[in-house]
Amino acid sequence: MTADFPPPRYVGTRGAHPVDFRTATLSGLAPDGGLFMPDRWPDAAGRIRRLAGAPYAETAAHLLTELGGDSLPPAAAAELAADAYRAFTHPDVAPVRELRDGLHLLELFHGPTLAFKDFALQVLARLFDRFLELDGRRALVLCATSGDTGAAAIEACRGRRAMAIVVLHPEGRIAPLQRRLMTTVDDPAVFNVAIEGTFDSCQSLVKQAFSDRALRRACGLLAVNSINWSRIAAQAAYYIHAAHQVGGPPPVFAVPSGNFGDCYAGHAAACMGLPVAGLVVGTNRNDILARFFATGRYHPGTVHRTLSPAMDIQVASNFERLLYEIRDRDGGAVQRDMAGLARGEAIAVDERHRATIGERFTGSRVTEDQTIDTMRDLRDACGIQIDPHTAVGVAAARQAGALDSQYRATSAPVVALATAHPAKFPDAVRQALGEEPEVPDPLARCMDAPERLTTLPADYARLADHLRRAAATAAEHAR
Ligand SMILES: *Cc1c(COP(=O)(O)O)cnc(C)c1O
């Protein structure tokens, strides 16, 4: 099947000229320093309607075809999506469960690392592999992690033909469970490095590596950025799949948000024709997004540690995509906004634009107490454990008036995105519920398996040496 309209091309939010999907995927960041955006939204309303009842991988494949154009022929997209979601442990991949009258939970934690980042990274790694192979190139994926992303990236990159992966984590500073999810992966192309330093040291080493041109060329360094366009493309699929499963009138989605990628994918689905009643942007105490939707001013604050650490962020990278649309796709205006932000100035949006985005988005900030109360309420009322990130989304929906005090939908059905399995955050579960989370198989297994990792000082020369050797070892194995 071909797309109903010519596929989009990808422009930079700060004015870069359009490129195709393949170039946008392999580049991650646009050459103007901004993010890639489709030059227009494909009108896929008819196709989306016809996907009602389709298996998850089919929905994902259609969306990738719609957005990928010539870079990804339909047969290739179908094969890629089927393969990406094959290892998910639930037959429906992204099942929806009704908890209360009109409150639904969209379970995004049945992937290999039990969190929703698997949905995007399993696709991104396969796209990389495909595009690299077509070019006859190899690549070494390099990233730093303080928790979830590293494990999801490793699970996505293992076993790929053209890639190896090196993940840096700060020694002794990540939860043992998070570390074990990475270090127990037994694959000759997966390299874990514990850096004697903080997460910031890890990030700064990664930056140094990417600015070392000789090393970049020698290893073919590649980033699994949270701002890669294809991650958004992959995530939009579960909004469509969930809306079809719920049926009836268009739903409100409640989205626990940090970098704003997940929520932006819901917006993208709506822009392509999925009927959506609204998007509730739930934040923890790190509330830059909630403040923006309430006031029209975007201004970072200081980062606080919370029970929902994957959202302890004060710069929401994907916000730049929405800003580009608010500025009527004027790259120069976004460039000026971002330069001002770098100087410490706020980005301000006028009342007319704020009213327009307010028709789709509602921001809501959730306290630690509300997070705990919500976890407890849902356990008591519905007998289920939810993770603290998911709780932020549910509490935000209630605060925004989409749910009543008994968590019943007030008008439209509510779909709360369950972004992680509660077992990934055992301390929060213990604190909120006074009980242990049930530990699913993949986690139980990694608690016993042997760990493989190298410890290095926070020294760039030592890391560079290690990266060269990792790339060579992986290439050797691939032959
Ligand atoms: C990354 C993450 C989020 C936040 O998603 P964004 O796309 O960054 O807004 C929420 N919950 C969990 C469990 C996550 O890992």
Side-chain angles (χ1 to χ4, degrees), residues 115-117 148-149 235 255-263 289 310-311 313 318 387 389-390 419-420 425:
F116 89 98
K117 291 192 173 67
D148 265 4
T149 312
Q235 289 176 186
V255 192
S257 295
N259 251 325
F260 197 53
D262 196 3
C263 193
L289 288 168
M311 311 194 302
I313 287 172
N318 282 287
D387 102 288
H389 302 80
T390 306
T419 50
F425 300 94

Side-chain angles (χ1 to χ4, degrees), residues 440-465:
D441 263 0
L443 287 192
R445 235 177 292 135
C446 88
M447 291 319 284
D448 305 323
E451 294 190 78
R452 292 165 65 236
L453 78 168
T454 306
T455 304
L456 289 180
D459 174 80
Y460 179 63
R462 295 281 301 277
L463 177 68
D465 190 43

